[in-house]
Amino acid sequence: MPDVRTHEPDDHDNAYAGLLVNDTHWAFGTDFEDPLAGVDTTVPDGVDPATLAAYCLMLGDDALVLSQRLAEWCSNAPDLEEDIALSNIALDLLGQARLLLARAAAADGSQVPALPDGSPVPDEDRLAFFRDAPQFRNVRLVEVPGGDFAQTVVRILLFSSWRLALLDRLTRSRDGVLAAVAAKAVKELTYHRDFAGRWFLTLARGTDESRRRLVAGLDALWPLWSELFETHDVERAAARSGIGVDPADVAADVEAVLDQVLAASGVDRPAVAPLAAVQGDGAAQPAHGRKGRDGGHTEALGALLAEMQVVARAHPGGQW
Amino acid sequence: MSAVLDRDRTLTRAREAAAAVVDPELPMLTLADLGVLRDVTVDDDGAVVAAITPTYSGCPAMAAMRDDLVRELRAAGFADARVRVVLEPAWTTDWITPAGRAALAAAGISPPGPAPQRSGPVLLRLAPVRRAVRCPRCGSDDVTVGSEFGSTACKALYRCRACLEPFEHVKEI
Ligand SMILES: [Zn+2]
């Protein structure tokens, strides 16, 4: 006969006991909630659902992967204020990713990985945690390893300047959900870009060492810059049907913002060639090779995803 | 006539129950004060739907708000209570009510000024943001911004140079 406890364990047995008694404000233990509950997710007339979903995945994966990279700074930033700032930016991007992946799933469920029957994992989490690197559609700028604080500032400046311009135009999308997600994101990205722009200036005008690190960070990320403005077939189709934005169309505006920061900082544009596409792995691929939007990634994405996905994959039936 | 009156009373009761729920991160504010409670409706069968809008895309308080709304509506006698999300128009700090602003100040949190208006592209601001902020503790306007990002997504960190205390400011969006 098994040993049966006949008394209530005292509180020393459970470090969490005090937290959970009579406290209704803890969000854990609640059911998953659809972030688009009650939102009209009808695909607009004349729009291909698969194109809308693929386009949302691109914008969602950009935000998700950079959010994960920025979260690596949590408890590691140069001071408490910057630690909190980077976590805030990561959280905003995670929220944008959640809405965009949920929108992708609502438009075309065929892209959502299948899990065992009865799994409580919601669609946006299936997309985040149960796809492999070749299925991710993010640009490669967001996946490369973090580097130091200066390089992180450069990455946020490059990314948020580009994304702000894209999403500002996306507020006029024919898809009401995308337009609404973009309108909220624009307000957040404005703070992200200002944060990075000010730190860029501060580091450029600081010490020789801070300036050296800033310029090195810019040189390191510059090969990934031009990829942001290359139009993928999905983006072209999305722009044509009035739901998306062709990234080539925002290039002039974004370069003007970057020039403004570089001029104020006295930093030149780097003379570094773009990073080549992934070539010749036998898969069907465009003649130019595969870049981030085609699922052609650097090795770093695999390691990032392994860390991000391990817990969810170990418990595909888990409830959090 | 009395059916209409009953229905009005039911709706009023549902609205009052929903409006009294407080924000989990700013508990001095009700969801109505914060401007995230957008609508409350009751259908013929007595089912209540409360509509809320997120403050920030990644606001972790949304799940707690939904749970709290459903719980309070059930406690008020509405067994069938649901919450739906409204994304459009996007939340702005201009929706924080005068009572909400007073409650923030009383709790030592500087309330937001008017949200920025714009026509045309979003301008880059390389200089620190200038706001007409006063220290909620001593009232001095000799304050300095420490970071545009605070303990929650909606707040910036400030320090008062008169009384030397740090404080938080709800930033305008
Ligand atoms: Zn003071």
Side-chain angles (χ1 to χ4, degrees):
Chain A
M1 195 172 159
D3 181 20
V4 179
R5 300 183 76 148
T6 54
H7 64 281
E8 286 298 308
D10 68 29
D11 284 352
H12 294 290
D13 286 353
N14 181 353
Y16 303 105
L19 283 176
L20 294 169
V21 173
N22 291 332
D23 193 331
T24 50
H25 277 106
W26 292 96
F28 54 73
T30 60
D31 290 338
F32 282 113
E33 290 278 3
D34 177 3
L36 297 176
V39 173
D40 180 6
T41 54
T42 312
V43 175
D45 279 346
V47 172
D48 172 31
T51 299
L52 175 56
Y55 183 65
C56 290
L57 275 185
M58 291 177 171
L59 297 180
D61 286 348
D62 289 341
L64 177 63
V65 174
L66 185 55
S67 174
Q68 179 72 12
R69 277 284 178 239
L70 291 178
E72 291 169 0
W73 277 104
C74 200
S75 80
N76 292 310
D79 63 30
L80 186 58
E81 282 76 10
E82 273 27 83
D83 206 290
I84 293 170
L86 293 171
S87 298
N88 266 277
I89 294 170
L91 186 59
D92 285 343
L93 292 174
L94 187 63
Q96 293 172 22
R98 187 177 180 207
L99 291 164
L100 288 161
L101 296 186
R103 207 293 164 257
D108 179 11
S110 71
Q111 313 236 8
V112 179
L115 290 180
D117 282 349
S119 167
V121 179
D123 285 347
E124 70 271 20
D125 283 16
R126 292 178 187 220
L127 286 166
F129 297 125
F130 293 88
R131 283 181 300 153
D132 296 323
Q135 289 150 346
F136 272 73
R137 291 291 178 266
N138 57 280
V139 292
R140 293 178 296 176
L141 173 70
V142 297
E143 75 197 32
V144 291
D148 59 10
F149 180 72
Q151 189 170 324
T152 298
V153 164
V154 172
R155 174 148 59 180
I156 297 172
L157 177 69
L158 297 178
F159 179 78
S160 60
S161 299
W162 169 69
R163 188 170 175 89
L164 177 53
L166 275 183
L167 268 54
D168 194 26
R169 293 186 183 213
L170 200 61
T171 59
R172 297 186 289 276
S173 171
R174 282 183 61 223
D175 182 54
V177 181
L178 262 183
V181 170
K184 179 161 285 296
V186 161
K187 297 181 179 202
E188 296 160 358
L189 291 161
T190 302
Y191 276 103
H192 304 174
R193 192 182 67 177
D194 287 348
F195 165 85
R198 283 172 204 154
W199 264 115
F200 195 100
L201 203 60
T202 300
L203 295 173
R205 292 176 176 174
T207 63
D208 288 348
E209 177 66 2
S210 72
R211 187 180 174 86
R212 184 190 68 73
R213 285 176 176 247
L214 182 76
V215 171
L218 187 62
D219 283 348
L221 293 175
W222 197 254
L224 298 159
W225 178 236
S226 62
E227 182 181 331
L228 272 54
F229 304 99
E230 293 170 8
T231 312
H232 189 273
D233 287 346
V234 166
E235 291 165 316
R236 187 174 294 109
R240 273 207 196 111
S241 57
I243 52 157
V245 178
D246 184 339
D249 291 346
V250 303
D253 288 356
V254 178
E255 296 287 7
V257 168
L258 189 61
D259 281 340
Q260 193 187 339
V261 180
L262 292 174
S265 310
V267 173
D268 294 329
R269 278 175 175 268
V272 184
L275 183 67
V278 181
Q279 299 284 354
D281 59 0
Q285 56 181 293
H288 63 259
R290 293 178 305 122
K291 295 187 180 176
R293 290 289 193 235
D294 310 300
H297 293 286
T298 62
E299 246 182 288
L301 183 64
L304 178 147
L305 293 180
E307 182 172 283
M308 185 179 87
Q309 298 175 332
V310 62
V311 175
R313 289 196 182 205
H315 306 281
Q319 212 150 4
W320 311 96
Chain B
M1 214 34 209
S2 74
V4 173
L5 274 178
D6 280 353
R7 202 173 153 165
D8 283 352
R9 275 196 208 104
T10 306
L11 184 58
T12 302
R13 224 159 38 76
R15 288 204 166 138
E16 283 171 359
V21 173
V22 299
D23 180 272
E25 287 175 347
L26 298 166
M28 72 296 291
L29 291 187
T30 66
L31 299 189
D33 285 336
L34 188 58
V36 306
L37 183 66
R38 304 307 296 155
D39 193 23
V40 179
T41 55
V42 182
D43 72 10
D44 290 338
D45 300 324
V48 182
V49 177
I52 59 172
T53 191
T55 53
Y56 283 74
S57 303
C59 180
M62 281 292 281
M65 287 181 194
R66 286 193 250 203
D67 285 356
D68 290 352
L69 273 169
V70 169
R71 198 187 56 247
E72 292 303 320
L73 284 165
R74 284 190 183 147
F78 299 97
D80 185 1
R82 278 180 298 126
V83 176
R84 76 181 170 92
V85 177
V86 182
L87 293 178
E88 206 272 313
W91 181 78
T92 157
T93 40
D94 287 348
W95 293 347
I96 301 178
T97 62
R101 286 161 199 271
L104 282 170
I109 298 173
S110 160
Q117 305 288 327
R118 72 177 168 99
S119 53
V122 187
L123 297 179
L124 178 70
R125 293 172 299 189
L126 288 175
V129 188
R130 295 211 174 278
R131 300 184 177 99
V133 166
R134 286 185 173 276
C135 169
R137 178 178 301 266
C138 73
S140 169
D141 63 0
D142 186 13
V143 299
T144 171
V145 63
S147 171
E148 284 297 309
F149 297 91
S151 60
T152 62
C154 57
K155 287 178 286 183
L157 280 177
Y158 272 75
R159 194 171 61 84
C160 173
R161 279 194 279 236
C163 72
L164 303 179
E165 290 293 329
F167 66 91
E168 293 187 302
H169 171 78
V170 177
K171 61 192 179 194
E172 300 74 16
I173 69 162

